[in-house]
Amino acid sequence: MATRESVDTLLQQCEDAIRFAGDQLQDGRLQEHYNDDGYSNALEALENAYNDLSQLAHSANSQQREQLHRMRLQLQQLQNKMIINPH
């Protein structure tokens, strides 16, 4: 079973990845192709956070799974936005 602390820690990591990716998306809009490394790193951070959420969900209770699912949707939404919007 997932501990509350492990869920909270992972959710904080996901929020950090979202914040970083949001900054890179904004920078990408301003700098176009001059920010490829940061943009790629942000996409990788989102993917890693998504995978970590999926792993932890297997050992979470129903309330924790709901929290993790909501965060997973936020990660997917930002990933899609970064992939669809050219930088």
Side-chain angles (χ1 to χ4, degrees), residues 27-80:
D27 288 349
R29 288 181 180 153
L30 298 174
Q31 298 177 7
E32 296 183 7
H33 294 287
Y34 298 108
N35 193 29
D36 285 340
D37 289 338
Y39 206 82
S40 297
N41 291 341
L43 278 170
E44 184 178 356
L46 289 174
E47 183 67 23
N48 290 338
Y50 182 89
N51 291 336
D52 291 343
L53 282 174
S54 296
Q55 288 284 327
L56 189 59
H58 292 296
S59 61
N61 65 32
S62 62
Q63 182 181 7
Q64 291 169 332
R65 273 194 302 274
E66 179 63 28
Q67 284 181 302
L68 297 174
H69 177 68
R70 289 174 191 240
M71 182 59 74
R72 207 172 333 160
L73 291 175
Q74 289 179 34
L75 292 170
Q76 278 183 314
Q77 184 179 27
L78 187 52
Q79 275 181 315
N80 291 340

